[in-house]
Amino acid sequence: MKIHVTYLCGLEVRTIQLKARQGWTLYQLTKAGRRGITSLERPALRLAAYVHNLRKRGFTIETEMEQHGGAYKGRHARYRLLTQILAVQILSEGGTK
């Protein structure tokens, strides 16, 4: 997926292009709103790495640890985008869903 995203970084308006899994991850975070996303709900290998890379690019993303049950009980992270997104334009969806 390739997207153009316009967002607030402090008082500055920035527009950047994101592609591949970083574009997909930011798009999923934007769609999810305050609910956020987890790798259980939106399966993606290395979701934490994509979130880390988005943070390095200036996006503020909150992490909340949650318990889950099932055969492999444990904890997982829920990520929420706190950066104010002004516009997202999808340039191509590629093969990533």
Side-chain angles (χ1 to χ4, degrees):
M1 174 173 268
K2 187 186 297 184
I3 64 172
H4 271 169
V5 60
T6 303
Y7 63 102
L8 283 179
C9 187
L11 297 176
E12 180 183 346
V13 175
R14 293 185 182 173
T15 299
I16 63 170
Q17 180 175 298
L18 296 170
K19 59 184 179 176
R21 286 293 185 165
Q22 283 187 36
W24 177 86
T25 302
L26 187 69
Y27 181 70
Q28 296 301 318
L29 285 164
T30 301
K31 280 186 3 179
R34 273 309 292 160
R35 175 156 169 63
I37 64 172
T38 72
S39 58
L40 294 174
E41 299 164 350
R42 293 198 176 70
L45 296 174
R46 300 179 39 82
L47 180 60
Y50 309 135
V51 168
H52 175 75
N53 289 335
L54 289 170
R55 286 177 175 142
K56 285 176 27 179
R57 296 191 81 152
F59 293 96
T60 302
I61 301 170
E62 170 184 86
T63 303
E64 177 185 353
M65 298 307 292
E66 299 177 342
Q67 297 289 330
H68 64 265
Y72 302 99
K73 351 181 205 191
R75 294 170 16 125
H76 62 269
R78 178 171 300 276
Y79 301 104
R80 290 183 186 90
L81 181 64
L82 302 180
T83 299
Q84 184 178 354
I85 302 299
L86 304 174
V88 174
Q89 177 186 12
I90 298 173
L91 302 175
S92 68
E93 292 201 37
T96 306
K97 295 184 180 181

